[in-house]
Amino acid sequence: MTPRVGLVVVASLAGCVHRVPAPDPELVQAEAWSPPALAGAVVDGRFVDDRSGLSVPVPEGWRAEPGRVDDATRVVLVEPVGGVRLRVVVAGGDWPPARGDCSWEFEDAASYTFGAVTARLATCTPRDPDAPRILGWRLDGWRSAAPALVVEAEVPPGQLVTAEDAAAEVLAGVR
């Protein structure tokens, strides 16, 4: 192709601008949005629940993702490297709670003491073999007249020790 022909091709393509029609104003609506009200915030390395005053330590190197103020999940603690997640839930009702993604195959009859708190333990095996195993600890009477508190650990393969160590720290530090 000669330079003159190439110039003509480029010039003719430049004139082919694709015009996008303006949106129909009746289809475009401004939607009011406000961020969700969160259950609490992290203060001095601890998640503090605004409603109940519940306070749990955030393990070093982990991040806290507060739940919504109207949700039973108060905070999710996330270990960014191995993918372990600890959910802190204000719970009532059956123990262990019904879940569709796994089946509770182990519930320990004994109680475990973490500092001043006593907990019951259960393990939920995922239906999907690649999904994380769920470990659950239920704390009844962690505070007088308070509903039960559940700490659930989502444990990816190879992360059991990390999950158990973090859960023990959180359970021992519940206030």
Side-chain angles (χ1 to χ4, degrees):
M1 180 173 355
T2 66
R4 186 166 175 82
V5 172
L7 183 60
V8 171
V9 170
V10 170
S12 65
L13 288 177
C16 297
V17 175
H18 178 67
R19 304 218 186 271
V20 176
D24 183 347
E26 291 182 21
L27 297 177
V28 178
Q29 298 176 7
E31 199 172 307
W33 183 84
S34 59
L38 299 178
V42 176
V43 178
D44 295 328
R46 299 182 65 83
F47 168 79
V48 180
D49 189 307
D50 291 339
R51 182 173 27 175
S52 68
L54 163 71
S55 171
V56 296
V58 178
E60 189 172 331
W62 290 49
R63 75 175 182 271
E65 298 174 354
R68 294 170 48 111
V69 71
D70 57 351
D71 191 8
T73 298
R74 308 316 291 162
V75 66
V76 178
L77 305 173
V78 180
E79 194 278 321
V81 176
V84 175
R85 297 168 53 87
L86 295 178
R87 283 183 18 166
V88 179
V89 181
V90 174
D94 297 335
W95 174 255
R99 293 182 63 111
D101 59 341
C102 62
S103 57
W104 294 99
E105 295 182 359
F106 173 79
E107 182 180 355
D108 202 335
S111 294
Y112 296 88
T113 303
F114 299 92
V117 180
T118 301
R120 293 185 295 169
L121 170 68
T123 303
C124 201
T125 302
R127 299 188 197 299
D128 175 357
D130 296 326
R133 178 175 301 270
I134 306 295
L135 303 179
W137 294 266
R138 180 180 171 117
L139 290 73
D140 290 303
W142 64 276
R143 183 183 288 165
S144 62
L149 192 66
V150 171
V151 175
E152 282 187 355
E154 293 179 15
V155 187
Q159 297 298 316
L160 182 60
V161 172
T162 300
E164 287 181 333
D165 288 349
E169 179 182 341
V170 169
L171 290 163
V174 168
R175 293 188 209 147

